[in-house]
Every structure is written in C-alpha cells, then in structure tokens.
C-alpha cells in the first residue's frame, strides 16, 4: 500500500484507510554506495552541445600560442631591448604603453591582416571540389601575401626573425600529424621562405581553427613573448608582466576585429621609431636578444 501511495496509484480502499509508512531503516553500506554513485552521475553537465572537434582545436591553438612552442620566439624583443637602452622604456607603464602601441600600429595593420589573408588562402587550397583555377588563385594569393610580409620587414633583424620562426614552425609541423599534408609542401615551396605569419596561418588551418580564433592565438602568443622580453630587458617582476598582459588581453579582441575588416590593399607597415630602434639594435654593444 505504501508503494502504491508513493507511485500515485491509490485505490478506493487506500483513500479511506490511513496506513502509516514503515519505520525508517538505517542506511546500509550498499545503500550509501548507490546514493554516492547516483549523486556522481547526476551532476549537471556542460550547457549546450559542442562539436567534437572544438576541444581539440582549442588545445591546438593554445599550443601554438604557447611560449613553449619550439620556434624561438623567446629570443626576440622586436626592438624593445634597444628602446630600453635608449631610455624610452624604463618602467612597467612605459613598457605597457610601448607594447600597446606596437600591437595597434604594427601587428594590427600588418601581420594580423596578412595572417587573415594567408588563412583564407590555405583554407581555399583544401577546398573539396574546387576548380584548378580556384586552387591556382589561392596559391597566388598565398605567395603574394608572403612576399608582402618579406618586403615590409623594415630591418634585417626583423626579417631574419620572421624567416627563422616560420622555418621552425614548418619543421615542427612536418614532425606532427600533418606531415604529409599537401598544403604543408605548398607553403614550404614558397619562394624565399615562409614567414612566421604565413606558417602560423597554415598551422591554424591544419588545426581546424576559424579565422578570428587564429588571429587571437597569434596576437596572444606575441603578447606573452613580449611580456617575457620586457621582464628581462627593463627589468620587471612577474606581477608587473601579468598586469601588462591584462592590458594587452583587453585590447587584442578589438585589434583583431579591425584587422579582419581591413582590405588587402590597405595593409601597411609604417613604424619609423620601431624600425630605427631595430636597426640600432643590430650594432648595440650589449644585448640579450636577437632583435
């Protein structure tokens, strides 16, 4: 009768007879284990379905943006060491201002828009059912973007940095899951050498990343390397570097969105002070970094 009352299937007799429930029994070990298993498996799940590739792609982007990626990014300061030597960067505030300006005026108008176009070209190379003409157009666009990147490196150090990091990333990709991908061979065969933004675009396409996510990862990897360079060159403490990264993290999404909307013929590489300091760094007497 008690079971019927709990299940909501009472009979006429049960509605007129007050039957008390059986006395509570002390839970056994087996009962407690069952309750624990039920609590474990009935925990709330993550909201919303996620594509099966989303987590793997996100981890790949974190990997590509990590300073631990063996491409040598930690060994470059991109002119900051020369700015410190010239007395232009002496503390946390000045270092943060310097990096924000470099993000907005250099990366945002040059490397990030070029990376977006290289990403589109690498994506088009893998399009199924595309015509020979479409593949040819994608190859030409990729080469033109890479040529533009090389021609706009304003000093020998900056060009050598981009070539070395691009070459190292291609070597890393050859030793991974996509070593036999024809797009890797196409990028490696570019005249001269594949520069860092071009190679990074290929790596993000192979990882299945969307265009905006690729630019965010590129910018964040640059920010982490530059914050570490500032720690050594100024020098700064870890807390100061984290505050600078917080400033950069707040600015990066807007810079990326602007770069995505920039037409190809409006890219520009014009940072005179950065170019002068980079050129001076080539002959700087004492230095820790390669640029």
């Amino acid at each position: 009768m008690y079971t019927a009352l709990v299940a909501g299937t009472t009979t006429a007799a049960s509605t007129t007879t007050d039957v008390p429930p059986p006395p509570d029994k002390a839970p056994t070990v087996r009962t407690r284990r069952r309750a624990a298993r039920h609590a474990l498996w009935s925990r709330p799940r993550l909201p919303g379905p996620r594509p099966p590739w989303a987590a793997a792609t996100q981890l790949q982007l974190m990997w590509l943006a990590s300073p631990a990626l063996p491409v040598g990014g930690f060994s470059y300061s991109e002119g900051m060491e020369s700015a410190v030597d010239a007395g232009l960067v002496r503390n946390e505030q000045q270092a943060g201002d310097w990096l924000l300006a470099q993000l907005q005026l250099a990366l945002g108008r040059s490397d990030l828009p070029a990376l977006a176009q290289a990403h589109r070209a690498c994506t088009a190379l893998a399009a199924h059912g595309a015509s020979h003409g479409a593949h040819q157009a994608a190859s030409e666009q990729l080469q033109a973007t890479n040529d533009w990147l090389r021609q706009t490196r304003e000093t020998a150090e900056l060009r050598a940095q981009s070539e070395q990091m691009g070459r190292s990333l291609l070597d890393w990709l050859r030793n991974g899951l996509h070593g036999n991908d024809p797009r890797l061979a196409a990028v490696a065969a570019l005249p001269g050498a594949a520069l860092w933004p071009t190679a990074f675009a290929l790596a993000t396409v192979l990882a299945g990343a969307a265009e905006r996510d690729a630019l965010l990862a590129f910018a964040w990897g640059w920010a982490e390397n530059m914050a570490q360079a500032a720690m050594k060159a100024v020098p700064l403490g870890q807390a100061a570097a984290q505050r600078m990264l917080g400033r950069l993290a707040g600015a990066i999404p807007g810079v990326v969105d602007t770069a995505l909307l920039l037409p190809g013929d409006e890219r520009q590489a014009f940072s005179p002070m950065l170019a002068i300091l980079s050129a001076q760094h080539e002959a700087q007497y004492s230095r820790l970094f390669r640029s």
Side-chain angles (χ1 to χ4, degrees):
M1 183 66 67
Y2 181 72
T3 304
L5 286 170
V6 173
T9 57
T10 58
T11 61
S14 66
T15 58
T16 59
T17 305
D18 188 9
V19 181
D24 294 336
K25 295 182 180 180
T28 63
V29 174
R30 190 173 185 180
T31 303
R32 289 196 296 266
R33 287 178 178 173
R34 286 179 178 175
R37 286 197 298 267
H38 175 75
L40 177 64
W41 293 108
S42 61
R43 288 176 181 173
R45 306 286 176 144
L46 291 174
R50 293 176 61 85
W53 46 262
T57 298
Q58 196 171 33
L59 288 172
Q60 286 283 331
L61 287 177
M62 293 167 64
W63 195 355
L64 289 169
S66 170
L69 190 72
V71 296
F74 65 91
S75 62
Y76 299 101
S77 78
E78 298 186 10
M80 173 171 283
E81 188 175 27
S82 187
V84 172
D85 186 68
L88 299 175
V89 175
R90 298 180 179 179
N91 52 47
E92 174 191 341
Q93 182 64 40
Q94 291 175 342
D97 293 344
W98 179 274
L99 293 181
L100 278 173
Q102 188 174 351
L103 170 67
Q104 296 164 350
L105 302 177
L107 262 72
R109 300 188 301 184
S110 174
D111 287 15
L112 290 175
L115 172 60
Q117 293 185 336
H119 187 283
R120 295 166 200 160
C122 289
T123 302
L125 287 176
H128 295 289
S131 64
H132 174 74
H135 278 269
Q136 184 65 26
S139 298
E140 292 175 356
Q141 178 61 51
L142 187 63
Q143 180 176 336
T145 302
N146 193 66
D147 289 344
W148 184 88
L149 285 167
R150 179 181 295 103
Q151 293 160 5
T152 55
R153 302 303 92 170
E154 295 185 282
T155 66
E157 278 192 349
L158 293 176
R159 184 177 63 188
Q161 171 187 344
S162 194
E163 289 177 346
Q164 179 271 307
M165 292 179 66
R167 182 170 58 252
S168 296
L169 183 56
L170 293 183
D171 289 340
W172 181 78
L173 290 172
R174 289 189 188 96
N175 293 321
L177 298 175
H178 304 284
N180 296 322
D181 194 291
R183 289 167 292 181
L184 178 55
V187 172
L190 289 172
L195 272 70
W196 170 237
T198 307
F200 195 93
L202 170 66
T204 57
V205 170
L206 293 177
E211 190 175 310
R212 186 174 188 269
D213 294 337
L215 269 65
L216 288 171
F218 182 90
W220 181 248
W222 168 85
E224 285 203 311
N225 281 322
M226 294 304 297
Q228 290 189 10
M231 287 176 61
K232 299 172 185 177
V234 176
L236 298 172
Q238 293 183 349
Q242 292 300 306
R243 288 191 292 268
M244 286 195 307
L245 283 173
R247 294 177 64 187
L248 292 169
I252 283 174
V255 173
V256 164
D257 290 339
T258 300
L260 287 170
L261 297 175
L262 192 68
D265 57 356
E266 293 185 16
R267 290 192 312 252
Q268 56 179 300
F270 184 69
S271 306
M273 179 61 72
L274 181 62
I276 292 171
L277 291 169
S278 177
Q280 291 175 344
H281 186 266
E282 297 174 6
Q284 188 170 314
Y285 174 71
S286 176
R287 48 186 188 167
L288 298 173
F289 298 95
R290 299 170 65 182
S291 73

